[in-house]
Structure formats: C-alpha cells, structure tokens
Amino acid sequence: MNPTAALLLIRPRAQSAAITSLQLAASAVTTLLAFAVTMLARALWSVDSAEVGYPVLATGLVALLLVPLITLGTAAARLAARSRDDRLATLRLLGVAAARVRLIAVAEVTLVAAGGVIIGAAVAAFLPFSLSALTVHGERLSATELWLPWWLAATIPPCLVAIAAVSALLGLRRVVLSPLGVRMRQDAPRLSWLRVVIGVAVVMVAVLVVQMVSPGWGVVVIVGALAAVVLAVMAVLGIVGPFAIAVASRRIAVRTADPARLVAARGIQEDPRAAWRSVSALALASFILIPAGSLLGYLDTISRSASRQVMTTDQLLMFADARTMLLALVAISFFVVACQVAITQTAAIVENRELYIALDRVGMPLATMNRARRLRVTTSANIAVIGAAAAAIGLAFFVVVAAAVVAPLFTVAICVVLALGLSLIRAGVAATAPALRRVLAAPARGE
C-alpha cells in the first residue's frame, strides 16, 4: 500500500492522546516504584544481622510487589494497543498483512512505554535521598546504601519495556485475526466451573500444608513451603476471580431494575478477565494484609509483654521492620490499583465513546453513567477483597483468631486500611469523570 497513507493512519490522533498520556504516566510510575522496591529490598538484604527474617523480607517484598507493578504496566500497554483498533481495521482492509499490522501496533506502544520508562528512571535517581528517611534495623538508611549497582540499574528499564511489548502483543492476539475480526472484537470464551473446582482443591491442599508445618522441617524448608502455599493461593485467586465476577455480574443483570447497575453488570460480562485484572493487585494486598497484619499484631502483643525477655534485640527490630514493609506493600498496592483504575476507566471511555454517546442520546443522565462506571469497578473490587479475605482467613485461621483476641486494634486497623483502599478506588473512578464530559461535549460526536 501507499507508504504515505500508512503514515497517516499510524500517526497519533487527538482521540488517542489521552491513552498515550496515560501510558507514559503508567510506565513512569511503574519504573519509579520498581526502583524503589529494588532499593528497599537491597537494603533489607544487606542488614548485618544473623536473623534469617531479613532475607525473607527482602525476597517477599520483591515477589509480592512484582505482580501489581507488572499489572500496572501491562494494563496501559494492553489498552493502548486495543484503542488503535479502528486504525488496525483500516490497515487490514487496505490489504496489509496481519503480522505487519501487529508489528506496527506493538512498536507504537513499545516506543511510548520506553519514553515513560526513561522519565521514571530519571526521577528514580532522586529516590535514595527520599528513602533515606526510613529506618532499617533501628538505623536510618543512607543514600549510599540505597544506590543500586550499575548492572542492576541498567537491567530494570529494558525489562519493563519488554513487558510492555509482550503485553501489547497479548492484548492484540484476539483482535488482529482478519479485516473484520479487528472491528468485531470477538468475545472471550465462557468461563468454566472447573476453575472453582481447581481453586477449592488448591486451597484445601494449602490449608493442609500449613497445618502440617513443623519446626523439625528447618527454617529453609518452612519458608519454602509457606512461599509455595502463598504463590499457589495467589494463582488460585487469579483463576477463580474472573469466574466469580462473571457469575455475580450475571445475577445482578438478571435481577436489577437499576439502569446504572444493569450497564455496569453488562460491562463486566463483556470481559470478566479484564475486570479482574483491574483489581487483582487489591486482591493480592488483601490476601497478604490479613494474615501478615494479624501475625504482626500477635507478635507486637508479645513484644510488649513480659515474654519479650525471650526475644533477642534483632528479633524485635525485625518485627518493627516487618511492620514497615507491610505498610509499604499495602500502600503501594492500593496506589497501583488506583492508578490502574484511572487508566482503564479513561481508556474505556475513549474506546467505548459510541456507547456513552448512545446512552446520552436516549436520555441517560451523566450522573447515572458515572455511577455505572463506579459500580463496574467497585463490584469487582468488593468481590476481590471478600474472596481474598476468605482465602487468607481459611489459610491462617488460628493466627487471625488469636490476633483478634489478643490484638483487636490490629484487626480494626486492617479493616480500616481495606476500607481506605476501596475509597481510593472510588476516587480513581471519580477522577476520570472529566474525560466522559469531554466525550459527550465533543462537537464531532456525530449529531
């Protein structure tokens, strides 16, 4: 085809400017948080202490925050790729091969992601001075302790760009199939009850392993077994979560007479996997917060009682650092979810502008549309929190009950933190309301 025509189709447009800006911001935030997590993990790993808990804290911090950070970066890349569907369809109809169309879309998303990564890496140069206010092992961190080795600092940006490229490719694999396949956006296959069966089986095995843990296994084996249990249950949440969201939204759509709830439920049913991905970091934070917070509350009660005499100074300092890392984990997870919600909602407005214009034409008020968008997110978020909390309580039942008895304030604090996280998500949806007003007020809406 004519190269000039191809360039006209590929060049950025005003409609995709919001998606491009969001992808830049998401890539920059992801890079900044990735550097921060790596610096903290390195500081914990380098603590001069015989306690094996510090390497465990460092490894756990990286492992647990890896999922939400990757999720934030992939959300922007996937939605940026999907928002180009109209131009991809035009290229396919003009005879461009599917492989070349896919290459064009992935290259565009990757270049934008690379720009955001460069911005984030530049800002990350000032992180050591900000993080030096934290204390580890009873002493304030110094900027020199937080500087990363050159090889590690040079590895993070290319990895993040590669993740964005792969995410864009995965986001297009279901739509760039044929000239009409791009425009039709075939629905994902229905989710099977087999997901629930697998989830229940894995949770039962995980509970059994936790009950069988014995000090005779040794520290290394115990840590490995518990890590395997946590990873298995986290994987189960990702398998069962989309199914639970799909079932709940289907029941809401059948029973409700509220237009906002109906629109929200139908929107979830279009892609339950995407609905779950937008709140998966919240499910992870809830799953970790409940047992870890309960355990820390129990240990805090012991450290304040006469029993603290049997604990070493290193152990007391490690418990304090564990509280700090737990707060950092939860705060970053909630922040990532709020950013991800803002990204997905803005992208959904741009991508589904015809739907919102049609709803406006039939008389649906703007407040009702915003309420439908909020319900679409909060419904998934509530299911994520409740499901993750149930899995966490089932896995660490005795620890949670003991903490509720001996450290009720920690239990109340956990509930307050989860409520604040849900409120932050609502704020992320509310922040995208101006984007919907601009779409409805645009002169090119076709009336």
Side-chain angles (χ1 to χ4, degrees), residues 42 56 65 70 87 95-96 109 111 120 126 130 142 161 171 220 231 281 358 394 423 435 437:
R42 182 170 179 268
V56 173
L65 287 178
I70 292 178
R87 285 182 284 169
V96 180
V109 173
L111 287 175
F126 301 94
S130 301
S142 64
V161 174
V220 176
L231 292 175
S423 299
R437 286 197 296 269

Side-chain angles (χ1 to χ4, degrees), residues 44 46-55 57 135-139 296 299 303 308-323:
L44 289 171
S46 304
V47 170
D48 185 14
S49 173
E51 285 294 330
V52 70
Y54 279 103
L57 283 177
T135 59
V136 172
H137 201 248
E139 299 179 357
L296 290 176
L299 294 175
S303 65
R308 66 174 296 159
Q309 298 177 357
V310 301
M311 303 173 68
T312 65
T313 303
D314 281 353
Q315 289 175 335
L316 294 174
L317 292 174
M318 188 188 68
F319 293 153
D321 292 337
R323 285 196 297 269

Side-chain angles (χ1 to χ4, degrees), residues 47-384:
V47 170
D48 185 14
S49 173
E51 285 294 330
V52 70
Y54 279 103
V56 173
L57 283 177
T59 305
L61 184 65
V62 174
L64 295 177
L65 287 178
L66 190 63
V67 174
L69 291 180
I70 292 178
T71 302
L72 176 61
T74 56
R78 284 174 181 268
L79 292 172
R82 291 294 298 268
S83 67
R84 274 82 169 171
D85 285 357
D86 55 346
R87 285 182 284 169
L88 302 183
T90 304
L91 289 172
R92 290 291 287 123
L93 290 170
L94 291 175
V96 180
R100 180 168 296 183
V101 171
R102 187 179 294 110
L103 178 62
I104 292 172
V106 173
E108 183 179 3
V109 173
T110 303
L111 287 175
V112 176
V117 168
I118 292 174
I119 296 173
V123 177
F126 301 94
L127 276 176
F129 304 101
S130 301
L131 297 178
S132 59
L134 298 176
T135 59
V136 172
H137 201 248
E139 299 179 357
R140 291 188 60 176
L141 294 172
S142 64
T144 55
E145 293 175 321
L146 293 168
W147 287 114
L148 299 178
W150 68 268
W151 58 268
L152 183 57
T155 301
I156 295 176
C159 290
L160 295 176
V161 174
I163 290 172
V166 173
S167 301
L169 184 61
L170 295 176
L172 288 171
R173 76 184 190 277
R174 294 191 54 80
V175 293
V176 186
L177 301 176
S178 66
L180 294 179
V182 178
R183 297 301 298 171
M184 291 173 63
R185 297 181 185 173
Q186 292 94 339
D187 294 333
R190 295 179 63 86
L191 302 176
S192 170
W193 277 95
L194 183 60
R195 289 171 172 260
V196 178
V197 176
I198 295 175
V200 172
V202 172
V203 170
M204 292 177 62
V205 172
V207 172
L208 182 62
V209 171
V210 171
Q211 297 298 324
M212 292 175 58
V213 169
S214 171
W217 291 9
V219 176
V220 176
V221 177
I222 291 175
V223 172
L226 294 179
V229 166
V230 171
L231 292 175
V233 177
M234 286 167 52
V236 164
L237 291 176
I239 294 174
V240 179
F243 180 84
I245 289 176
V247 172
S249 63
R250 193 177 304 119
R251 291 182 177 179
I252 293 173
V254 171
R255 299 177 181 179
T256 187
D258 184 357
R261 290 186 179 278
L262 180 61
V263 172
R266 292 299 185 187
I268 293 174
Q269 291 180 54
E270 287 182 2
D271 194 348
R273 292 186 180 91
W276 174 259
R277 283 196 300 268
S278 66
V279 296
S280 59
L282 180 60
L284 172 62
S286 304
F287 176 70
I288 298 300
L289 175 63
I290 292 175
S294 300
L295 179 60
L296 290 176
Y298 180 72
L299 294 175
D300 182 75
T301 301
I302 294 177
S303 65
R304 295 176 185 273
S305 65
S307 301
R308 66 174 296 159
Q309 298 177 357
V310 301
M311 303 173 68
T312 65
T313 303
D314 281 353
Q315 289 175 335
L316 294 174
L317 292 174
M318 188 188 68
F319 293 153
D321 292 337
R323 285 196 297 269
T324 302
M325 292 304 104
L326 179 62
L327 290 175
L329 168 67
V330 174
I332 292 176
S333 297
F334 284 156
F335 177 74
V336 167
V337 172
C339 292
Q340 189 174 345
V341 166
I343 290 171
T344 55
Q345 287 298 302
T346 303
I349 291 171
V350 175
E351 189 177 16
N352 300 319
R353 61 187 302 273
E354 292 84 1
L355 170 64
Y356 292 111
I357 291 174
L359 293 175
D360 181 60
R361 286 174 176 170
V362 299
M364 178 175 284
L366 177 61
T368 304
M369 293 187 213
N370 283 323
R371 182 166 169 264
R373 296 192 306 113
R374 184 176 65 251
L375 287 172
R376 181 173 180 175
V377 176
T378 55
T379 299
S380 303
N382 291 336
I383 293 174

